Amino acid sequence: MRARAAHSGTLRERNVLLVSAGFAPTFRERPLDDPELAQARAAIEWVLHAQAPNPALAVDRHWNLVTANAPAQQLLTGIDTALLTPSLNVLRASLHPAGLAPRIVNFGEWRGHVLHRLRRQVEISGDAGLAALLAELEALPLPPDAAALPSAAHGLRLSGVVVPLQLHSPLGTLSFLSTTMVFGTAVDITLSELVLESFFPADAATAQALARLAAGAS
């Protein structure tokens, strides 16, 4: 029974299966500031730093921000301080009228993508915290100028391939493609649930704008 339980589902789910079968849980859940995770934290910071000038951030299993590189912090500048407490939830920040929502050019399309992604997570995990977040995000009012229905990516030939994130900025519209990274060999629950998300330029104009922002910051 132990061998069978230990090789199905996430580390958190495996612990639940082990406990329900009468065994002690195998996998620990340390806080990220635990000294034993120091090397993992250093790896996270290195990966995020290496993504510059592209924005990159790390989130926990409920999409709360853990850390972000300087370009990502620049993109988050200007959101309502109320969204920063007790911690910044990146999905809430992207869809909230006081967050990034008024700046997202393809808001209808992006909202549909975010809610679909989160709904899928809830279905797979049954996580009550994610379910509550989904209900909250679905109930958020739309920004005044946002389209309620999904729309094609403005100026990009990406329809049917990926959903970009397109943001208004002083340097024009910035268009990003996102990728995610996880620790593939983690045996700590906290580390296994951490997601690193990087945003890469979807067009030449965005790449040039990020380079100018990086030059100005340095």
Side-chain angles (χ1 to χ4, degrees), residues 93-167:
S94 73
L95 299 187
H96 200 287
L100 293 177
R103 294 163 48 192
I104 298 179
V105 178
N106 59 329
F107 181 80
E109 184 180 41
W110 181 254
R111 179 179 183 272
H113 164 69
V114 168
L115 294 181
H116 173 77
R117 184 177 184 180
L118 184 55
R119 193 175 295 113
R120 181 62 177 157
Q121 282 187 285
V122 172
E123 292 172 352
I124 293 174
S125 68
D127 187 288
L130 290 176
L133 178 62
L134 175 61
E136 176 191 344
L137 298 187
E138 288 178 328
L140 284 176
L142 300 178
D145 298 328
L149 299 175
S151 58
H154 295 253
L156 290 177
R157 297 181 178 274
L158 298 173
S159 179
V161 181
V162 294
V163 176
L165 172 62
Q166 297 184 282
L167 292 173

Side-chain angles (χ1 to χ4, degrees), residues 135-206:
E136 176 191 344
L137 298 187
E138 288 178 328
L140 284 176
L142 300 178
D145 298 328
L149 299 175
S151 58
H154 295 253
L156 290 177
R157 297 181 178 274
L158 298 173
S159 179
V161 181
V162 294
V163 176
L165 172 62
Q166 297 184 282
L167 292 173
H168 286 298
S169 82
L171 297 178
T173 298
L174 303 180
S175 301
F176 298 99
L177 308 178
S178 68
T179 65
T180 57
M181 179 187 301
V182 297
F183 282 89
T185 58
V187 292
D188 175 90
I189 292 177
T190 298
L191 199 59
S192 72
E193 294 175 336
L194 202 69
V195 174
L196 278 61
E197 187 148 10
S198 301
F199 294 85
F200 295 96
D203 56 28
T206 300

